[in-house]
Amino acid sequence: MISANLSAIFYLVSGVLFILALRGLSSPETSRQGNLFGILGMVIAITVTFLSTGNFSTGFIFVIIFILAGGSIGAFIAYRIPMTAMPELVAGFHSLVGLAAVFVAISAFLNPEAFNLGTPGNIKLGSLIEMSIGAAVGAITFSGSVIAFLKLQGIMSGSPIVFKGQHPLNAIILISIIVLIYLLCSTQSSNLFWILLAVSFLIGFLLIIPIGGADMPVVISMLNSYSGWAAAGIGFTLENTALIITGALVGSSGAILSYIMCKGMNRSFFNVILGGFGATDETSGEKNKEQRPVKSGNADDAAFLMKNASSVIIVPGYGMAVAQAQHALREMVDTLKKNDIKVSYAIHPVAGRMPGHMNVLLAEANVPYDEVFELEEINNDFANADVAFVIGANDVTNPVAKTDPQSPIYGMPVLDVEKCKSVLFVKRSLSPGYAGIDNDLFYKENTLMLFADAKKMTEDITKNL
Amino acid sequence: MEIDPLIFRLSIFILSIFVGYYVVWSVTPSLHTPLMSVTNAISSVIIVGAIIAGLSGNSDTIFNTSSIFGFLAIALAAINIFGGFLVTQRMLAMYKKKKKDKK
């Protein structure tokens, strides 16, 4: 058994290692080392906990068994999961953090002596406040993440679920959570604790159902943030520095990612959270749909255009992930490179279903990361490029965002694809994208539509090159 | 008058938010997915609380209601820790630079 002071120092060390783990992600070269720091921090935190409890009885064996059981499930998932399913995986993991926070809070509430927080029915006021906040945020994280998971997995429809009185209802529930925490702290009643948990689970569920599929990047980042705040709440209860530091890191990380995603769509955070986007706009998109001529071509035409180009910019989007076209795309690019054509990739901040989703898919397909550029880095290059190859992206290339103040996506940063000499647009049909609006790019003089499945089209182009 | 230890923890918390703010802004956008999976893994340090809860029973009754919740939390957090770090490792291993020897 080691002293409380010594273990506190070790917890601080593991907190610092977690900071270094995130710091490592500033570049791909240092990132792998950063991950090792994170693992080391975790090992230290767990070891110190064992040493400080000094309990190596039968209970200890059960702890090890549960760690190994959970660990092998986790490892199995980590090795088997396809990269396209990362958003679902992360949402699923968030729900587990939330539920774990709830369970720890329940355990502390039922047996506060084990944590030096007082006796049942007479828990220290400060600890009880921290515990109930941690439990409530954990519960919201859990049920919210489960809904996000179901939507991403396609088990639940990605379209927003809206009903009358939704926002007032949510507001009433949120206020009642605060009231419940207040009552719980003044009465110490265990019934109130269970009601608080139930209501928190409910609000997590209600908050996420009105948010549509393409807003998932914001939702996942937001739930990431919540899972951090839940951990921090529990950290205060347990007076544990490692948990407090980690909770703060994760909480701010998720918040920053949500901010970046919202900015990528030029929408306020509240606009996304209140939800319903895409459901209302779909009808208006169909109303003003007029038949305009488009030029469409086949793989042969596309191959001809690219063969005569000297530089090509590829714009991947979520559709590429759905069609699993990333490997076929890389093969096409390899062929282009053999013909001395310069190829780069342009990634919009909200491409895909989670932050950085496209980058991971391209990395998986062996695309070197220094050929992949962010919007600000590459947007000026479109004017000098010969061909833009848009594969599975739509709204993020729509020039309407720059020209039409009436458009729902007006002001959203878009890739200046239309400035290219010619644009190849791989798409299955002319249907509008997520925002429910027509893409002006389809009807431009220099656009050639390639109506086909992204993967098949890419393979056919490669054959024709 | 002595300062409540809560104030110290609050100080650590606030300063860590700032550290997090600056560290996360310096993360390159192409690594945002690994960032999410690794934050997932580290937030599972909540296992520390779960272990204390799991070991709260005495030698006669290892399993009481409180410790059972502790054990369940241990399993959940362990899924996250192993899954989170390993999947991050797997992703980061895929980020490669351009091969120099290409013509």
Side-chain angles (χ1 to χ4, degrees):
Chain A
M1 189 151 175
I2 57 174
S3 78
N5 284 335
L6 190 59
S7 49
I9 288 175
F10 277 115
Y11 284 134
L12 181 64
V13 170
S14 78
V16 171
L17 285 167
F18 291 151
I19 295 174
L20 292 175
L22 299 193
R23 177 76 195 127
L25 290 169
S26 56
S27 91
E29 289 104 80
T30 54
S31 61
R32 285 171 276 260
Q33 191 197 24
N35 201 36
L36 294 178
F37 281 138
I39 296 172
L40 183 63
M42 190 60 76
V43 170
I44 291 177
I46 294 175
T47 315
V48 168
T49 310
F50 284 140
L51 292 176
S52 65
T53 58
N55 179 347
F56 291 102
S57 60
T58 341
F60 175 73
I61 297 166
F62 279 104
V63 172
I64 298 293
I65 291 174
F66 276 91
I67 290 182
L68 291 179
S72 27
I73 297 172
F76 179 76
I77 298 171
Y79 280 112
R80 294 300 295 275
I81 192 92
M83 285 299 141
T84 38
M86 275 322 283
E88 293 95 299
L89 180 75
V90 169
F93 278 171
H94 286 155
S95 72
L96 299 183
V97 179
L99 197 58
V102 172
F103 284 173
V104 173
I106 293 176
S107 182
F109 185 79
L110 295 176
N111 188 1
E113 284 122 326
F115 298 87
N116 292 321
L117 305 175
T119 52
N122 189 21
I123 300 171
K124 279 188 280 179
L125 179 65
S127 311
L128 193 55
I129 297 174
E130 294 151 3
M131 193 188 294
S132 43
I133 294 176
V137 180
I140 294 172
T141 313
F142 171 72
S143 53
S145 302
V146 168
I147 300 301
F149 175 82
L150 294 177
K151 285 196 171 194
L152 287 163
Q153 188 75 277
I155 298 171
M156 208 173 130
S157 153
S159 55
I161 297 170
V162 281
F163 53 86
K164 263 215 174 103
Q166 192 164 29
H167 299 319
L169 176 71
N170 289 351
I172 290 169
I173 295 179
L174 283 174
I175 293 167
S176 73
I177 286 179
I178 297 167
V179 174
L180 277 168
I181 291 179
Y182 174 78
L183 290 176
L184 172 65
C185 293
S186 49
T187 63
Q188 303 252 354
S189 146
S190 59
N191 285 338
L192 285 175
F193 185 71
W194 301 118
I195 296 173
L196 172 69
L197 284 181
V199 172
S200 306
F201 280 127
L202 179 68
I203 189 69
F205 169 76
L206 288 173
L207 279 177
I208 307 301
I209 52 168
I211 305 179
D215 281 342
M216 280 301 146
V218 181
V219 172
I220 296 189
S221 320
M222 185 184 83
L223 292 166
N224 187 240
S225 181
Y226 285 2
S227 69
W229 305 130
I234 303 296
F236 275 103
T237 321
L238 308 180
E239 311 183 346
N240 183 306
T241 333
L243 254 175
I244 294 176
I245 296 178
T246 315
L249 289 178
V250 178
S252 49
S253 164
I256 291 173
L257 290 176
S258 326
Y259 170 80
I260 296 175
M261 293 301 111
C262 288
K263 213 170 136 240
M265 297 191 288
N266 188 39
R267 291 172 53 203
S268 76
F269 186 66
F270 283 102
N271 183 299
V272 176
I273 294 310
L274 292 177
F277 192 75
T280 42
D281 292 306
E282 239 163 66
T283 42
S284 66
E286 265 158 44
K287 230 185 312 169
N288 55 33
K289 196 192 262 178
E290 51 199 285
Q291 292 293 318
R292 284 195 277 174
V294 293
K295 280 197 291 184
S296 77
N298 56 29
D300 206 16
D301 305 327
F304 177 77
L305 265 171
M306 284 205 260
K307 218 173 196 169
N308 292 307
S310 62
S311 68
V312 174
I313 298 179
I314 304 203
V315 182
Y318 183 63
M320 179 192 80
V322 174
Q324 300 274 1
Q326 62 270 32
H327 295 278
L329 181 67
R330 209 253 313 145
E331 276 164 32
M332 184 189 92
V333 169
D334 282 350
T335 321
L336 288 174
K337 278 194 207 150
K338 264 181 217 144
N339 292 313
D340 279 329
I341 298 164
K342 186 175 166 280
V343 186
S344 33
Y345 299 79
I347 306 220
H348 192 274
V350 292
R353 284 289 185 270
M354 76 185 291
H357 191 191
M358 286 301 124
N359 303 78
V360 170
L361 293 180
L362 291 176
E364 189 200 12
N366 281 322
V367 172
Y369 63 82
D370 38 9
E371 285 175 12
V372 183
F373 298 93
E374 303 300 316
L375 179 120
E376 307 90 63
E377 295 174 310
I378 201 166
N379 228 3
N380 292 329
D381 297 355
F382 280 107
N384 304 320
D386 297 310
V387 176
F389 187 73
V390 183
I391 173 165
N394 187 356
D395 291 334
V396 298
T397 62
N398 198 338
V400 153
K402 290 177 285 190
T403 51
D404 179 11
Q406 302 300 316
S407 164
I409 62 166
Y410 181 69
M412 171 170 128
V414 285
L415 292 158
D416 295 333
V417 173
E418 78 281 0
K419 289 188 181 153
C420 267
K421 285 199 193 83
S422 40
V423 178
L424 294 169
F425 211 116
V426 185
K427 209 170 176 311
R428 264 184 295 218
S429 70
L430 273 183
S431 62
Y434 170 66
I437 46 166
D438 229 2
N439 191 342
D440 262 6
L441 198 61
F442 297 163
Y443 314 106
K444 292 262 176 195
E445 188 70 0
N446 55 354
T447 305
L448 189 67
M449 298 298 295
L450 306 169
F451 293 113
D453 172 71
K455 189 176 177 197
K456 199 175 169 302
M457 176 54 75
T458 319
E459 283 165 351
D460 288 349
I461 295 174
T462 316
K463 269 179 225 148
N464 282 305
L465 274 169
Chain B
M1 214 178 98
E2 258 189 81
I3 299 173
D4 191 322
L6 174 67
I7 303 300
F8 288 116
R9 285 191 284 276
L10 201 61
S11 318
I12 295 173
F13 180 63
I14 302 290
L15 291 176
S16 303
I17 291 178
F18 277 91
V19 171
Y21 180 84
Y22 288 106
V23 169
V24 171
W25 270 118
S26 74
V27 171
T28 165
S30 66
L31 291 177
H32 275 162
T33 299
L35 171 69
M36 296 199 87
S37 61
V38 85
T39 50
N40 226 313
I42 64 172
S43 58
S44 303
V45 73
I46 202 159
I47 197 169
V48 164
I51 292 172
I52 299 175
L55 291 174
S56 62
N58 51 41
S59 45
D60 305 326
T61 50
I62 298 163
F63 293 106
N64 53 45
T65 328
S66 166
S67 73
I68 288 172
F69 276 112
F71 283 120
L72 290 176
I74 291 174
L76 295 178
I79 296 179
N80 250 325
I81 293 171
F82 283 73
F85 280 125
L86 287 172
V87 87
T88 310
Q89 192 86 334
R90 211 181 121 200
M91 275 191 274
L92 293 177
M94 298 185 310
Y95 282 81
K96 290 187 198 82
K97 258 199 155 155
K98 209 180 308 196
K99 280 191 208 92
K100 284 269 159 66
D101 54 0
K102 256 184 189 169
K103 52 167 184 175

